[in-house]
Amino acid sequence: MFESISIPDFETLYTETELNVIDIRETSNYLKGHLAYSISLPATLLPNMLKKLNKEKTYHIISYSGRRSEIIASFMASKGFHAVYVIGGIQHFSQAF
């Protein structure tokens, strides 16, 4: 299943529940700042790492602007994962606080 979530809704979920967040930015950008407890899994590596992810879980996919996360979430959904892309990406999430 493929879904999207707005920054305000994601912010609420993120602060109130335990989410599986995959940050698909390159590792160097992840290390400059990321959401606590997020998993760094660059978009270029993700297709080869799908076998390590659990299809029973929901994954919130975040990138810098949201464009790549939409593509990756759609790809993951086509492989049987429940993926939710965060509209606007991390650039807007950090501004939401």
Side-chain angles (χ1 to χ4, degrees):
M1 183 181 347
F2 170 61
E3 298 177 38
S4 63
I5 190 169
S6 67
I7 292 297
D9 290 343
F10 178 75
E11 179 182 344
T12 299
L13 274 177
Y14 180 77
T15 56
E16 294 178 358
T17 62
E18 200 171 303
L19 298 178
N20 297 299
V21 179
I22 298 177
D23 188 323
I24 62 166
R25 297 175 298 148
E26 293 301 316
T27 304
S28 59
N29 291 324
Y30 178 85
L31 293 174
K32 291 178 185 175
H34 58 272
L35 301 176
Y37 311 110
S38 63
I39 300 165
S40 176
L41 191 51
T44 55
L45 301 177
L46 189 130
N48 295 325
M49 300 299 289
L50 287 180
K51 62 184 171 251
K52 295 188 179 211
L53 300 177
N54 184 344
K55 288 187 178 181
E56 301 298 317
K57 293 183 178 182
T58 298
Y59 293 98
H60 287 75
I61 313 302
I62 195 161
S63 62
Y64 179 72
S65 67
R67 173 82 176 112
R68 285 182 300 149
S69 57
E70 181 178 11
I71 294 166
I72 292 295
S74 177
F75 170 76
M76 288 179 67
S78 75
K79 301 297 182 188
F81 290 89
H82 182 194
V84 180
Y85 92 92
V86 181
I87 300 169
I90 197 140
Q91 71 177 352
H92 295 304
F93 184 83
S94 60
Q95 295 170 7
F97 285 103

